[in-house]
Amino acid sequence: MSNIPSKEQILQWITDNPGKRSKRDIAKAFGIKGAARIDLKRILRELQEEGHLEKVGRTYRDPDKLPPVTILSVQAPDDNGDLFARPLEWHGEGVEPRVLYTPRTADPAVGQGDRILAKLFAVEGSDAEDHQYTAKLIRKIGTNPRKILGIFRKGAEGGVITPISKGSDKEWQVRAGDTHGAKDGELVEGELAGPKARMGAPRARITTRVGDPGAARAVSLIAIHEHGIPDSFPNKVVAEADAAKPAGLTGREDLRDLPLITIDPADARDHDDACYAHADEDPGNKGGHVIWVAIADVAHYVTPDSALDREARKRGNSTYFPDRVVPMLPDRLSGDLCSLHEGVPRAVIAVRMVIDARGEKIGHTFHRGLMTSVASLSYEEAQAAQEGTLSERTAPLIEGSIRPLFAAYDALKIARAKRQPLELDLPERRIELDDAGNVTSVAFKDRLDAHRLIEEFMVLANVAAAETLIAKRTPLLFRVHEEPSPEKLEALREVAASAGLTLAKGQVLQTRHLNALLKAAGEDTSELISISTLRSMQQAYYNPENFGHFGLALKSYAHFTSPIRRYADLIVHRALIAAHGWGPDAKIDGLSPDEIERLEDTAKLISGTERRSMVAERDTSDRYLAAYLSDRVGAEFGGRISGIARFGVFVKLDETGADGLLPMRALGQEYFHFDAEAQTLMGADTGTMISIGDRVLVKLAEAVPVTGGLILELLEHDGKAPSRGSGRGARKGGGRGRGKPPARRKVSASKARKTKLRKKQDRSRP
């Protein structure tokens, strides 16, 4: 009996761990095995008989308290208009508690007879005489139906919803009373309205009128459906998330005294990483630093082969649009239990890393713990504080948190300069929307040191995760980025040569060689070299085998820092749990044998979902930009050529970063020879050379929000109007000619790159 806990200890543990209340959980928590389980069973039975515990199924709970998340039945409003609700289950000996429902502005309408899943908050003081709990809506029961997006076509008795997806001919019938006032031709969102009839199309009811299919609010919805991105969670998945309870301290290190802070975009809804740094007190590491990076412990809540896990694996990652996020996990997890909100205890997996004065990592350890963020800062707040502009929020943090973080970052910059990852500094645009979903501005994001600080910390943590799992011989998914293929590398050499630059042959390519090339490019050719270097890169992917990360110049790299939004990171978290044998649940939420067996399949799946999201996000940005520019048709814009194809030239506009197409017919009335390897066009009559990176002045001829297409007309190329040429082969061929192209005249070139490239033209026919 010496290792059997007291009744008081059992009751306290059940109170601290509301999500783990079975006899098996209790036995694991206190290390009770074998015959001692009989004594535990006896004590639990005594607690039950004494009224301290109630057994529901295989779990135990205090019968005189409502669980923190429960199902309620909404009652009629009282004389004051307040809505009260009663729990569907009450097993206590006292009077059933009264629950006041307190709706938020964005909550859907709730009325008498509705059943809701709600989060409860105990009421104390004098208010408890009127009601003992307040309730916040999580979800109306039965309101997680399959969504439908399509164009509404009005009929005599209602109408039909026709799909927007290409190749689909399915329609949904809408009764007259279920149209929600939709007009003919509107883009609408709906839900299935009952079982399919034996004959005819299935029925649906319209729930939201999105409006004009070409309007700004519609574009992300169209991309979601076009690319097959799941945007609603099955009821079972939502129920699992709703049933989750905050993790306690059992089996975890107490990290709540560490002044960890989160630094994110100002509009971030979730915070999945926190950091803290301080000078290393070890006299043997003078000038060194200790860096802590703590990541939300998603694996605690999303266990292998659960409904949540299967859905997360299917999605692979979250998808981000200017007006919405399609999350990998339900909001109960991504925005609450797995978000490191300020002042709230949260379960994490943390890594403590020690770096020397030159930023080299000399040691690290992983920890499964419980932390509390002391502050949630934006990048701008952290940057301003470091530069001396303190606010009421940042003043108390400057010495203990912010300055030590930047001091550690200064050391990491030295190591980065030595390692020389690829330094492609291409601007990232940000699309700003108003409440109606219309684009108000398109600006290029600022790159602050605060951004770079977090990036370097995350890279270091990801390296530590990969190295630990390799050392412990634990299977994992690596983030792989292979070096450019010989063909793409040769094309880059040709482009460099055309600009009078050299990328040497006969050596193993390293990122420092590409950085030297990027640095050598002058103002006129920097964008040409940057775009061409980016085009030469392979796409990163996930793989259970380690092939290194070329772009970051790292031998081993694994995604560890964002398990809320990337399934690969969740796999790495589970691998760390299994490798360390953390806590009583290591076999439950660690990497399972089944997962190890299918790691290759998982890697292919989530590499595909990542590409799917990238394309959907790009398509959505294109549509928003086309909508934004649609009222500026006829306006003139400066830009640079960003791509060349047989059918025309792509131009990236300076003002917005939008990509438009110059069709061949817009380039002038002469025949153009296309060189696919060098990505150039050369005029047959004038010798005009068109290359990536060239400056152009264009006029916007057409903007189509539904497709995201921008059609341009060429006004000037490198400061000159397009040549009229002889007109041979241009009028009927759209710039490509018909039949045999005309003979080429010898033309003197003013630039070395024109001479070099002209010798290649016989290899390519348009």
Side-chain angles (χ1 to χ4, degrees), residues 437-455:
N438 297 307
V439 182
T440 57
S441 66
V442 179
F444 291 100
K445 294 182 181 180
D446 292 330
R447 287 282 294 161
L448 306 173
D449 276 349
H451 290 100
R452 298 183 179 95
L453 179 155
I454 295 298
E455 288 175 2

Side-chain angles (χ1 to χ4, degrees), residues 379-699:
Y379 289 114
E380 292 76 13
E381 282 181 301
Q383 187 71 42
Q386 173 65 11
E387 293 173 355
T389 303
L390 300 179
S391 66
E392 186 176 337
R393 281 168 50 78
T394 57
L397 302 168
I398 186 65
E399 296 300 332
S401 294
I402 297 173
R403 281 184 181 153
L405 287 173
F406 279 89
Y409 169 59
D410 286 340
L412 289 178
K413 285 193 291 187
I414 300 172
R416 179 186 174 91
K418 179 182 177 182
R419 191 176 87 244
Q420 284 213 41
L422 187 61
E423 299 286 0
L424 266 177
D425 192 16
L426 295 173
E428 185 180 359
R429 65 191 176 204
R430 180 183 181 87
I431 298 174
E432 297 283 353
L433 306 177
D434 60 20
D435 292 339
N438 297 307
V439 182
T440 57
S441 66
V442 179
F444 291 100
K445 294 182 181 180
D446 292 330
R447 287 282 294 161
L448 306 173
D449 276 349
H451 290 100
R452 298 183 179 95
L453 179 155
I454 295 298
E455 288 175 2
E456 285 302 305
F457 281 20
M458 298 304 119
V459 167
L460 198 65
N462 287 338
V463 170
E467 290 177 351
T468 290
L469 294 173
I470 290 171
K472 290 182 175 290
R473 299 182 181 276
T474 303
L476 73 150
L477 287 181
F478 292 94
R479 181 64 168 176
V480 172
H481 184 226
E482 297 182 85
E483 63 273 9
S485 67
E487 295 77 17
K488 288 188 175 183
L489 201 55
E490 185 59 33
L492 177 59
R493 285 196 179 95
E494 293 284 356
V495 172
S498 74
L501 302 171
T502 301
L503 180 62
K505 292 185 178 181
Q507 58 185 345
V508 177
L509 181 71
Q510 297 179 5
T511 47
R512 61 185 177 87
H513 301 134
L514 296 176
N515 287 338
L517 177 65
L518 291 163
K519 189 175 181 179
E523 184 177 345
D524 291 340
T525 58
S526 62
E527 193 149 357
L528 165 68
I529 299 301
S530 293
I531 293 173
S532 299
T533 301
L534 180 63
R535 287 177 177 271
S536 73
M537 291 296 106
Q538 303 272 35
Q539 191 165 32
Y541 62 97
Y542 296 105
N543 200 296
E545 292 188 58
N546 183 17
F547 300 118
H549 198 295
F550 175 79
L552 291 174
L554 293 168
K555 294 180 180 179
S556 304
Y557 195 65
H559 274 163
F560 156 74
T561 53
S562 291
I564 284 179
R565 61 186 179 91
R566 293 187 305 225
Y567 193 78
D569 302 55
L570 179 57
I571 291 289
V572 170
H573 275 231
R574 288 174 180 165
L576 289 167
I577 291 167
H580 289 88
W582 277 325
D585 296 331
K587 292 184 179 179
I588 296 176
D589 50 13
L591 196 64
S592 70
D594 287 344
E595 287 184 291
I596 294 172
E597 190 174 330
R598 64 179 186 179
L599 273 181
E600 188 172 349
D601 291 339
T602 298
K604 291 177 181 177
L605 173 65
I606 63 177
S607 295
T609 61
E610 180 184 56
R611 288 190 290 272
R612 177 181 68 181
S613 292
M614 289 173 59
V615 174
E617 290 166 0
R618 184 192 64 206
D619 288 352
T620 300
S621 294
D622 289 347
R623 287 187 173 107
Y624 272 117
L625 290 170
Y628 179 59
L629 294 171
S630 60
D631 60 354
R632 298 180 66 183
V633 171
E636 297 179 4
F637 299 90
R640 285 188 183 272
I641 293 174
S642 59
I644 295 177
R646 288 182 179 275
F647 52 83
V649 172
F650 293 99
V651 175
K652 187 174 289 293
L653 304 182
D654 295 335
E655 182 181 329
T656 61
D659 291 299
L661 175 66
L662 278 170
M664 279 292 189
R665 64 178 180 275
L667 301 181
Q669 294 183 339
E670 65 175 315
Y671 188 93
F672 278 87
H673 295 271
F674 171 55
D675 188 323
E677 291 183 17
Q679 284 282 286
T680 60
L681 292 169
M682 189 179 74
D685 295 325
T686 63
T688 298
M689 186 73 70
I690 297 176
S691 305
I692 290 175
D694 289 352
R695 293 289 310 171
V696 292
L697 179 67
V698 296
K699 181 171 75 173

